[in-house]
Amino acid sequence: MVFINWRTILCLLAIFCCVFPGKNIEYTSTLARIDSLLIGALISILYRLNPVILIKSAWPILILSSFLILLIISREKTLDFARLIDTFTLWDLFFGAVLIFSISQKNNWLKSILNLKFFKFFGKYSYGLYIYHLPVYIIIVDSFIGFRKLNFRYLPLVATVVCLFITIGIALLSYYLIEKPFLRLKKYF
């Protein structure tokens, strides 16, 4: 008899989701989102080679990306992130500039905000939040579609709060049951 444990099932599910990302391929596919990986890599390389140029370019990038994001949102007249595909790279640039500010100065207001316990909590479990938020969102929103007949004004807000708490719970479980055991193995590699 072949025994399949829960970790094997989770790995197979993750592989399945990567190979068949579903209807939101422009959001879920790594190849479609390679821009964010490249921006992060570029920031890392420039920070090591010439941080002065990187720091000087952060303000113009922050201002330009913010302006273009607001322009696209006003043109599309929506805050639905899935419909704002044109802004994905701009968000990457925006948060790349924020990252530069947070690592470039010793004592700044951004660093003191990011060191709050609230943000440290989300930083510790951020990988799980990142991995699980979309599947939870899709399942919850698909479940809530039947409730749209109720014409409940705050249904999107309720769905978002439910998604948030479920995702946090799954991320906590994932951290302690999957990530932490794997992190203990790094001493062998």
Side-chain angles (χ1 to χ4, degrees), residues 19-156:
V19 175
F20 305 102
K23 59 186 173 190
N24 296 324
I25 194 165
E26 66 278 348
Y27 183 77
T28 58
S29 171
T30 301
L31 293 176
R33 300 301 309 280
I34 199 77
D35 54 345
S36 57
L37 296 172
L38 292 174
I39 289 169
L42 184 63
I43 289 171
S44 175
I45 292 168
L46 287 176
Y47 191 74
R48 291 178 184 186
L49 294 177
N50 194 343
V52 175
I53 291 175
L54 186 67
I55 294 166
K56 284 183 181 179
S57 64
W59 273 112
I61 290 171
L62 183 76
I63 293 168
L64 183 62
S65 62
S66 301
F67 173 75
L68 292 174
I69 288 168
L70 291 173
L71 186 70
I72 293 171
I73 289 172
S74 66
R75 182 192 71 198
E76 296 294 325
K77 295 180 176 59
T78 185
L79 290 175
D80 181 6
F81 197 66
R83 292 182 48 209
L84 293 170
I85 297 168
D86 299 345
T87 64
F88 286 0
T89 302
L90 295 171
W91 282 109
D92 299 336
L93 290 168
F94 174 83
F95 284 110
V98 170
L99 175 68
I100 293 166
F101 290 131
S102 68
I103 62 175
S104 64
Q105 300 170 359
K106 291 190 188 233
N107 294 318
N108 65 14
W109 61 272
L110 181 60
K111 194 176 278 189
S112 62
I113 290 172
L114 294 175
N115 279 322
L116 294 173
K117 285 184 179 183
F118 174 80
F119 289 110
K120 285 186 175 185
F121 170 84
F122 282 104
K124 185 175 186 178
Y125 307 109
S126 62
Y127 185 70
L129 294 169
Y130 167 71
I131 293 295
Y132 301 116
H133 83 280
L134 187 63
V136 168
Y137 175 79
I138 290 170
I139 291 168
I140 296 299
V141 168
D142 286 348
S143 300
F144 274 69
I145 286 175
F147 291 106
R148 290 193 184 186
K149 296 178 251 176
L150 299 175
N151 200 12
F152 181 52
R153 182 175 165 182
Y154 298 106
L155 190 62

